[in-house]
Amino acid sequence: MKKSLRRGLVATAATALGAGLLAVPAAQADTSRTPQTVNAADWLSGQVVDGVLYNEQFDFVDWGLTLDTLLALDAVGGYNAKVADIADALADDLGSYIGTGGESYAGSTAKALVAVQAADRNTADFGGTDLVAATEARVDGTGRLADESAFGNFANVFGQAFAVKGLHAAESGEAASATAFLLQQQCADGGFRLDFTATDTSCSGDDAQTDSTAIAVDALLPQRGTQAVDTALDEAEAWLSGQQDASTGAFAGGPGTETANTNSTAVAAVALEKLGDADRAAKAAAWIAERQVTAYSACGTELDGQFGAVGYDDAAIATAEDDGIEVETVDQWRRATAPAITALQSYDDPSPRPKATFTVTAPSGYVAAGAPVALTASGLAPGERYCVYSVDGSIAKAGKANASGVATISATAPSPGVRPVYVYGERDARQGEASLRVLTTTKRFVATTNVKTVKRNGRIRVSARGLAPSEPVRIGYGGTYIKTANARTDGTIDYTFGVGSSTGKKNVYVRGIVNTRQGIASFTVVK
């Protein structure tokens, strides 16, 4: 039976992973999805099994990240079935996420409310709970969100923001006070802090964090037009703009995530895009796109098969290239990819190329394992980089197309079998495929003659079996090849030839595509 994350583990995870990994703002659905967004969404939605993201390392259903996924998939559109699966699973397991038996987790309840609204479900009776009323019950007289839990009170600006967003959408009477309290968490320099206390709503500039500011912006945007909110949004936009690395477009997070990372960059990019700062959002999205796994970037690494996933930072990507995405690291990849799905909507490819499959040609006949193989890929852009890769990993070679968009590739044949070979262009969704029929070089055939003794100048028939269907065959006798042909489709061949006038013990060789693929039959020529 799968377990859900209890409140005690929430605090542990937040401390270990950094608060900046735990939130993703939702956006309005946009049907003009970029390929990068679709690739990220496809990868993350594929991680959802039976409506949940399950953390195998610590053995629990990660409902917080699962709902981040729902919000991201809903925001970009096109994943209605997966959104419905998540909503159904949440309804069945709601109590373990928002609390039961006297436990009531404020942030989880508010986030569930927003997710259920996004999934277009009945918030008044979802999983047997009125989520609007449950969220309202967690707002005290000051507008502050608070847990009711034996584990303590861990409510913060993330949960407060979800409460503001959900209660405002529900036209709740508690929305105004929750909004007012959220505004009090804004620092003098425009950023929002993550943590608040019951008695102190002041905020120094050192407390502001990228992630909490971005999610506060997302929550406040539906109330644009109110003077206090407009002022707060303007100041938050200025603060976020000042946090962006001018040269790279990246953002760092808060304590524990002080270096540039895709999670913080993604939530900031979404906030800036919704605030109308498209240029900064696009620059941030471009930085994220460079850290997304493509068929080209994964070629020849252990990231093969993880197309679309977004790495948290360069160190995480380097590790995964060597080790793959493992049980211990998949959580971080999921958390990086969830907000990136929406952020990559802002990606403006500076050098767009046709998203076409190009043509790859390979030898039409058999090739020997380990032998040189000539491949040609055509239809690439002039100078476009490529990587050629076979499924068993024995070919992994990069290069550039010529001025005509053609790549002439000298490679080595992989292990025996019918081996697909892929040539990936450096842009997403650009690839070509061909197949190699690869034979082992150490095959011994069964070769026989119809008689063991034959008179000189007589004729004898040699037969062989065990060749590959239609394999090219060379038959050698007396130091020369006397016949070239192809095996039958069943891998057999027969040939009758004259033995000549020389007497004694003789050998006839039947060889396939290389000399080490052979069978030998012996006979004797007599007077």
Side-chain angles (χ1 to χ4, degrees), residues 293-386:
V293 178
T294 66
Y296 171 80
S297 69
C299 182
T301 78
E302 292 301 314
L303 279 171
D304 181 57
Q306 304 293 350
F307 182 49
V310 175
Y312 178 72
D313 57 18
D314 292 344
I317 295 168
T319 298
E321 286 175 344
D322 292 336
D323 302 332
I325 299 177
E326 300 180 300
V327 168
E328 295 80 9
T329 58
V330 68
D331 176 75
Q332 188 188 64
W333 281 81
R334 290 169 174 174
R335 291 184 187 281
T337 304
I341 291 172
T342 315
L344 286 167
Q345 289 287 81
S346 299
Y347 181 56
D348 183 14
D349 191 338
S351 55
R353 291 171 180 154
K355 304 300 180 183
T357 299
F358 43 80
T359 301
V360 178
T361 57
S364 58
Y366 291 105
V367 295
V373 176
L375 304 169
T376 302
S378 57
L380 290 88
E384 181 175 358
R385 295 181 298 170
Y386 68 85

Side-chain angles (χ1 to χ4, degrees), residues 28 41 46 101 126 161 172 214 224 243 288-289 321 341 368 442 479 513-514:
Q28 295 300 313
F126 182 82
S172 166
R224 213 169 196 171
Q243 304 308 303
I288 297 168
E321 286 175 344
I341 291 172
T442 58
I513 58 169
V514 291

Side-chain angles (χ1 to χ4, degrees), residues 353-356 358 379-381 384 423-425 427-432:
R353 291 171 180 154
K355 304 300 180 183
F358 43 80
L380 290 88
E384 181 175 358
V423 180
Y424 300 123
R427 298 295 167 185
D428 294 326
R430 290 179 59 75
Q431 72 175 54

Side-chain angles (χ1 to χ4, degrees), residues 47 115 490:
Q47 297 285 306
D490 64 356

Side-chain angles (χ1 to χ4, degrees), residues 197 341 381 477:
T197 67
I341 291 172
Y477 176 68

Side-chain angles (χ1 to χ4, degrees), residues 48 75 78 122 156 250 261 315 329 392 402 411 425 427 522 525:
V48 177
N122 181 11
N156 58 27
N261 64 83
T329 58
D392 69 348
N402 64 19
R427 298 295 167 185
S522 299
V525 178

Side-chain angles (χ1 to χ4, degrees), residues 182-510:
L182 177 60
L183 291 174
Q184 291 173 347
Q185 309 316 307
Q186 188 170 28
C187 302
D189 59 3
F192 281 76
R193 65 182 181 182
L194 175 64
D195 296 314
F196 44 69
T197 67
T199 58
D200 179 16
T201 57
S202 65
C203 178
S204 67
D206 292 340
D207 294 328
Q209 297 183 19
T210 300
D211 301 55
S212 49
T213 302
I215 198 166
V217 165
D218 180 72
L220 292 169
L221 275 165
Q223 298 186 55
R224 213 169 196 171
T226 303
Q227 183 175 351
V229 170
D230 288 349
T231 299
L233 289 174
D234 290 343
E235 292 176 355
E237 181 177 6
W239 186 87
L240 281 173
S241 298
Q243 304 308 303
Q244 187 172 32
D245 187 297
S247 60
T248 67
F251 286 81
T257 60
E258 296 91 343
T259 58
N261 64 83
T262 54
N263 187 285
S264 297
T265 301
V267 294
V270 174
L272 289 169
E273 173 69 28
K274 295 173 76 173
L275 286 165
D277 197 338
D279 290 342
R280 288 186 179 276
K283 192 169 185 177
W287 189 83
I288 297 168
E290 292 175 355
R291 284 146 188 85
Q292 183 176 32
V293 178
T294 66
Y296 171 80
S297 69
C299 182
T301 78
E302 292 301 314
L303 279 171
D304 181 57
Q306 304 293 350
F307 182 49
V310 175
Y312 178 72
D313 57 18
D314 292 344
I317 295 168
T319 298
E321 286 175 344
D322 292 336
D323 302 332
I325 299 177
E326 300 180 300
V327 168
E328 295 80 9
T329 58
V330 68
D331 176 75
Q332 188 188 64
W333 281 81
R334 290 169 174 174
R335 291 184 187 281
T337 304
I341 291 172
T342 315
L344 286 167
Q345 289 287 81
S346 299
Y347 181 56
D348 183 14
D349 191 338
S351 55
R353 291 171 180 154
K355 304 300 180 183
T357 299
F358 43 80
T359 301
V360 178
T361 57
S364 58
Y366 291 105
V367 295
V373 176
L375 304 169
T376 302
S378 57
L380 290 88
E384 181 175 358
R385 295 181 298 170
Y386 68 85
C387 184
V388 57
Y389 181 65
S390 67
V391 292
D392 69 348
S394 58
I395 296 178
K397 187 170 184 177
K400 286 186 178 182
N402 64 19
S404 300
V406 176
T408 302
I409 303 159
S410 297
T412 301
S415 59
V418 179
R419 300 298 184 191
V421 176
Y422 304 94
V423 180
Y424 300 123
E426 64 181 304
R427 298 295 167 185
D428 294 326
R430 290 179 59 75
Q431 72 175 54
E433 178 182 353
S435 289
L436 292 173
R437 294 189 294 170
V438 186
L439 299 179
T440 179
T441 59
T442 58
K443 176 73 173 179
R444 299 285 295 183
F445 309 130
V446 176
T448 59
T449 54
N450 60 322
V451 294
K452 287 295 183 181
T453 303
V454 61
K455 291 185 176 182
R456 63 182 181 180
N457 298 318
R459 297 180 68 79
I460 195 170
R461 184 177 71 249
V462 62
S463 301
R465 56 186 173 85
L467 293 102
S470 304
E471 180 178 357
V473 177
R474 298 160 297 160
I475 299 176
Y477 176 68
T480 62
Y481 289 119
I482 58 175
K483 179 67 176 178
T484 58
N486 291 89
R488 301 184 184 95
T489 56
D490 64 356
T492 64
I493 193 168
D494 299 301
Y495 182 62
T496 301
F497 62 96
V499 299
S501 59
S502 174
T503 60
K505 187 174 180 179
K506 307 293 182 180
N507 291 324
V508 58
Y509 297 85
V510 181

